[in-house]
Amino acid sequence: MAKAETTMENLISLCKRRGFIFQSSDIYGGLSSCYDYGPLGSDLKKNIKEFWWRWMVQRHEDIVGLDASILMAPQVWEASGHVEGFTDPLVDCKKCKHRFREDLLLDPHKCPDCGGELTESRQFNLMFKTYMGPVEDDASIVYLRPETAQGIYVNFPNVVKSTRQRVPFGIAQIGKAFRNEITTENFIFRTREFEQMEMQFFVKPGTDMEWFEKWKQDRIDYYKALNIRPEKLRFHQHGPDELAHYAADAFDIQYEFPFGWKELEGIHNRTDFDLSRHEKFSGKDLAYYDDLTKEKFIPYIIETSAGADRTVLTVLADAYEEQQLEKDSRTVMHFAPEIAPVKAGVFPLVKKDGLPEIAHEITDKLRPHYQVFYDEGGAVGRRYRRQDEIGTPYCITVDFQTKEDETVTIRERDSMEQVRVKIPELRNWLFEKINNRLDSNS
Ligand code: GAP
């Protein structure tokens, strides 16, 4: 049966109540569009980034990692086209003074908040600017990177020289990006500070469309492996008016959020735009020499660019379910086991007769390998509900039979089915269920 859709109110409330996501600087009234990941949210986001890294870097022998700095030489952003063209059209309401992105308005002349008259639009650059060193003059301007991609392009020759990678190959990176967005919206969907998970794949010109198709398929497969419902995912091809200045072709992977179909990831054929521009602006030869075929060329780049925070929102929205059971109801987050912040709850059936000691021993043994949570408070049913609400895939209960045969029950979150497993086999059992799933997806 299809599950009932959630609302943003339900999600935001659960995120705050259970410690996934808080408003930044909460005690000062919050800072608009900035968010902090709490104890559960930070683990969820870290697990998503690790899942991406494992999927993109570890599984592909032709992809290597990089961790470039956020601050880069300002010429990078001239070469990339961001200084000149990374702008949005901004309009102000003459009456209430609110600001809007003109291209997102239904009526470009009328304020959506108060109906007042809007100003003519002007182009607003989205890059955050700051100064390097003590003097605040034009010569010391640096930008907070608006995308992680450029750190990869400028390191292309370093990676070619320092590894045995040959074109076609890719460079992947996860890191913060900053955009002074005019309109922020929908919780963590569009924020001014966010994290990207980007991979740039360098290919021989002429083979680019083949690789483009391959990466489109691989990236959809990735979201399915993350347990995102396939019917909630679709491709959207950019029309000529949507294409970024660098792209010859582009598809978004969209997800159907509670507020509609929106971009989750962009897949772009960036041609030789980036390396050619950096070659021109830096004066360095960035062409690739293939010593087998003796050909020299500027590689084309196929980019896959996903937002880590947007993936967190997708995973939260997709996982959320309020289920009516026979006797009661539960809120359950159906996270894929790899990304669930807590992998197992460990409960003694009662708080006596040596059961807590055995449960503590199990917790201590599992803790170096998995995030586990010991809980002896209240009826077991209530303890299950607390773990369901944070998406813990397995709950291990120590009961009286444990003392006789060294077995515990493991209750699975989604099916609520229970099995008995011997304590010495617990770690391997969890490994099979949690870490080995990618085998069947590769
Ligand atoms: N390097 C290409 C690039 O940055 P993009 O389509 O502008 O392309 C890629 O961004 C992804 O980064 C988006 O699909 C989205 O997931 C994420 N992203 C972009 N702007 C964002 C914002 N203001 N807040 C949160 N995530 C954002």
Side-chain angles (χ1 to χ4, degrees), residues 86 146-149 153 179 181 188-192 194-196 198 200 246 252 263-266 268 270 303 305-310:
F86 195 53
E147 61 171 11
T148 59
Y153 305 145
R179 295 181 189 177
E181 302 276 4
I188 55 170
F189 178 78
R190 189 184 307 285
T191 52
R192 297 195 170 102
F194 55 96
E195 254 177 300
Q196 290 187 314
E198 297 200 305
Q200 314 293 328
Y246 50 73
D252 289 341
E263 175 185 348
L264 165 61
E265 162 160 354
H268 311 126
R270 298 183 69 129
E303 166 181 71
S305 176
D309 310 81
R310 222 170 260 191

Side-chain angles (χ1 to χ4, degrees), residues 136-153:
E136 295 192 4
D137 61 8
D138 281 357
S140 56
I141 287 178
V142 286
Y143 301 96
L144 301 189
R145 66 181 176 196
E147 61 171 11
T148 59
Q150 300 300 326
I152 294 181
Y153 305 145

Side-chain angles (χ1 to χ4, degrees), residues 180-292:
N180 200 359
E181 302 276 4
I182 296 168
T183 316
T184 53
E185 53 182 336
N186 293 319
F187 197 33
I188 55 170
F189 178 78
R190 189 184 307 285
T191 52
R192 297 195 170 102
E193 172 181 349
F194 55 96
E195 254 177 300
Q196 290 187 314
M197 306 185 288
E198 297 200 305
M199 192 281 299
Q200 314 293 328
F201 204 77
F202 300 84
V203 305
K204 188 174 164 190
T207 65
D208 44 309
M209 283 318 287
E210 201 183 307
W211 281 106
F212 189 61
E213 289 305 321
K214 181 183 170 304
W215 280 111
K216 270 172 62 191
Q217 186 57 48
D218 192 90
R219 295 305 301 154
I220 275 281
D221 291 345
Y222 159 86
Y223 289 108
K224 292 179 187 162
L226 253 186
N227 281 8
I228 305 297
R229 288 168 292 164
E231 66 273 21
K232 292 282 189 177
L233 294 166
R234 72 177 188 193
F235 281 117
H236 162 75
Q237 185 170 20
H238 284 207
D241 53 333
E242 289 172 280
L243 275 180
H245 59 276
Y246 50 73
D249 200 355
F251 278 79
D252 289 341
I253 294 179
Q254 294 186 332
Y255 177 77
E256 192 179 16
F257 290 96
F259 42 88
W261 287 97
K262 297 274 182 187
E263 175 185 348
L264 165 61
E265 162 160 354
I267 300 160
H268 311 126
N269 180 347
R270 298 183 69 129
T271 67
D272 58 0
F273 175 84
D274 301 280
L275 289 181
S276 301
R277 292 277 291 190
H278 285 303
E279 186 169 80
K280 186 169 158 209
F281 279 70
S282 67
K284 299 273 161 33
D285 179 6
L286 298 183
Y288 173 79
Y289 177 67
D290 188 325
D291 50 8
L292 290 183

Side-chain angles (χ1 to χ4, degrees), residues 62-231:
D62 53 1
I63 298 184
V64 291
L66 186 81
D67 186 3
S69 68
I70 288 173
L71 300 175
M72 302 178 72
Q75 298 94 309
V76 167
W77 306 109
E78 279 161 31
S80 70
H82 284 82
V83 169
E84 198 186 331
F86 195 53
T87 54
D88 276 338
L90 170 72
V91 287
D92 294 282
C93 173
K94 291 182 182 168
K95 200 166 150 201
C96 70
K97 310 291 177 211
H98 289 176
R99 290 197 157 143
F100 306 95
R101 242 175 83 174
E102 188 189 36
D103 55 329
L104 298 182
L105 292 175
L106 288 176
D107 181 344
H109 305 293
K110 195 164 142 198
C111 172
D113 288 351
C114 74
E117 196 192 339
L118 297 173
T119 59
E120 286 290 306
S121 75
R122 60 189 191 281
Q123 290 301 321
F124 172 76
N125 195 297
L126 300 185
M127 282 198 294
F128 276 98
K129 224 188 244 181
T130 187
Y131 300 95
M132 188 98 129
V135 184
E136 295 192 4
D137 61 8
D138 281 357
S140 56
I141 287 178
V142 286
Y143 301 96
L144 301 189
R145 66 181 176 196
E147 61 171 11
T148 59
Q150 300 300 326
I152 294 181
Y153 305 145
V154 301
N155 274 295
F156 172 72
N158 287 336
V159 174
V160 168
K161 274 185 225 131
S162 61
T163 68
R164 300 181 65 190
Q165 293 294 340
R166 308 168 48 83
V167 169
F169 78 95
I171 305 178
Q173 131 160 274
I174 298 176
K176 289 264 186 182
F178 302 82
R179 295 181 189 177
N180 200 359
E181 302 276 4
I182 296 168
T183 316
T184 53
E185 53 182 336
N186 293 319
F187 197 33
I188 55 170
F189 178 78
R190 189 184 307 285
T191 52
R192 297 195 170 102
E193 172 181 349
F194 55 96
E195 254 177 300
Q196 290 187 314
M197 306 185 288
E198 297 200 305
M199 192 281 299
Q200 314 293 328
F201 204 77
F202 300 84
V203 305
K204 188 174 164 190
T207 65
D208 44 309
M209 283 318 287
E210 201 183 307
W211 281 106
F212 189 61
E213 289 305 321
K214 181 183 170 304
W215 280 111
K216 270 172 62 191
Q217 186 57 48
D218 192 90
R219 295 305 301 154
I220 275 281
D221 291 345
Y222 159 86
Y223 289 108
K224 292 179 187 162
L226 253 186
N227 281 8
I228 305 297
R229 288 168 292 164
E231 66 273 21

